[in-house]
Amino acid sequence: MNYYEFVKNYLGTDSCKEKSKYCNIGTTFCVCREEAEGCYWFYETDSFIVEIHDFFIKKDIVYSSALNMDQFMSFSSSYIITGNGESFSPYQTLSAGSLHIVDVENMHKDYKFLLHSNFPYLSVGISFKKEMIEEYLYSLKKEKNISYSDIFTSFNPAIIKSFAPLAKEILNCKMKSPAAELFFEAKAKEWLSLTINAFFNYKDVRISKDDDKALKDVANYLDDHYALDVSQQTLE
């Protein structure tokens, strides 16, 4: 099964024939269901998949089973422009200005996500295939003993905002072939470059022992008082 057939089977609908609001070299699937309405757009190459999720969530959506997608991608990285939800195992917030990372090949069997009702969900992302990961990251893995998973999942949250302009460029691209193909190839490489840079910035971050202890104290306090309305002043 190719990726197009996978998406078609999962969404239970054919691709849209009418003109899409996104770049015309990609494929758009339109969805109109009781729980959500909108579209999924993607552009696929042998190395990566560019994706746009553009939905209005009408009812809470709970996704409670991990799809087997490792034949299509190794890592999925999405910048969320608008959203309201959470993913679990591992926990990540799915809100505006956050980066949602999925280690597809090592996805936890209990992976779940929740999208809350009456809220738009708009994200732009790149799913990297094994071929591209090996081409650009194998030397780091071999020479510095760094795992691919660490590169994608370990980063300073302050770096996330650097993905916003890139996501916006992809979202607004209206180029035609062959310019569009070159554009998306460049953006996929730029996205991977930002990911590597974010990892090394994270590795350079150092905090004092006192600050580390203070953060652990706050975390322990919240664990013990999770049912209470803890004020900002108390945490400070």
Side-chain angles (χ1 to χ4, degrees):
M1 182 185 296
N2 59 34
Y3 188 66
Y4 175 90
E5 292 295 333
F6 172 81
V7 174
K8 177 180 175 180
N9 288 348
Y10 177 68
L11 295 178
T13 183
D14 290 316
S15 58
C16 303
K17 301 304 180 185
E18 63 269 20
K19 187 176 180 180
S20 171
K21 66 178 179 178
Y22 300 116
C23 185
N24 62 11
I25 71 164
T27 302
T28 299
F29 283 86
C30 300
V31 174
C32 185
R33 296 179 179 171
E34 183 181 6
E35 67 273 16
E37 183 175 347
C39 69
Y40 170 69
W41 176 95
F42 76 89
Y43 165 68
E44 182 184 20
T45 74
D46 292 337
S47 300
F48 59 86
I49 302 171
V50 186
E51 302 176 285
I52 298 174
H53 291 81
D54 185 356
F55 294 97
F56 184 80
I57 310 303
K58 298 186 284 186
K59 289 187 175 182
D60 281 4
I61 294 178
V62 179
Y63 174 97
S64 57
S65 60
L67 291 175
N68 183 12
M69 297 188 295
D70 57 4
Q71 61 181 309
F72 307 116
M73 62 191 72
S74 291
F75 289 91
S76 174
S77 176
S78 299
Y79 180 80
I80 300 175
I81 298 172
T82 307
N84 185 9
E86 301 83 24
S87 68
F88 306 91
S89 298
Y91 178 82
Q92 297 179 56
T93 210
L94 304 178
S95 58
S98 63
L99 201 64
H100 183 219
I101 307 294
V102 179
D103 182 350
V104 176
E105 294 182 349
N106 298 295
M107 188 181 292
H108 195 277
K109 63 181 178 63
D110 292 327
Y111 174 81
K112 298 178 175 66
F113 72 73
L114 167 65
L115 296 178
H116 299 292
S117 62
N118 299 317
F119 214 88
Y121 183 85
L122 176 61
S123 71
V124 178
I126 310 283
S127 290
F128 296 95
K129 298 187 178 184
K130 187 175 182 178
E131 292 79 3
M132 189 168 182
I133 297 296
E134 293 285 346
E135 180 179 358
Y136 291 101
L137 301 182
Y138 180 73
S139 60
L140 287 175
K141 180 181 179 181
K142 182 179 180 180
E143 296 170 11
K144 298 189 178 183
N145 195 29
I146 300 172
S147 73
Y148 298 146
S149 183
D150 281 345
I151 292 173
F152 275 88
T153 60
S154 302
F155 52 82
N156 182 352
I159 301 293
I160 293 176
K161 62 184 180 181
S162 62
F163 288 84
L166 182 52
K168 187 175 181 180
E169 288 179 35
I170 293 173
L171 192 71
N172 294 328
C173 176
K174 295 297 188 294
M175 294 180 184
K176 296 181 180 180
S177 182
E181 286 90 342
L182 293 171
F183 172 84
F184 287 124
E185 181 179 355
K187 296 308 164 183
K189 291 178 179 178
E190 186 177 351
W191 197 291
L192 185 58
S193 176
L194 287 176
T195 300
I196 297 170
N197 184 57
F199 168 74
F200 282 110
N201 272 285
Y202 169 80
K203 299 299 286 185
D204 290 340
V205 172
R206 298 289 185 272
I207 63 174
S208 69
K209 290 183 178 180
D210 288 342
D211 286 342
D212 185 55
K213 182 181 182 301
L215 289 170
K216 290 177 180 177
D217 287 342
V218 170
N220 290 334
Y221 183 85
L222 288 172
D223 282 342
D224 292 337
H225 300 82
Y226 64 89
L228 302 179
D229 184 11
V230 182
S231 69
Q232 180 70 29
Q233 183 177 3
T234 300
L235 293 177
E236 291 173 357

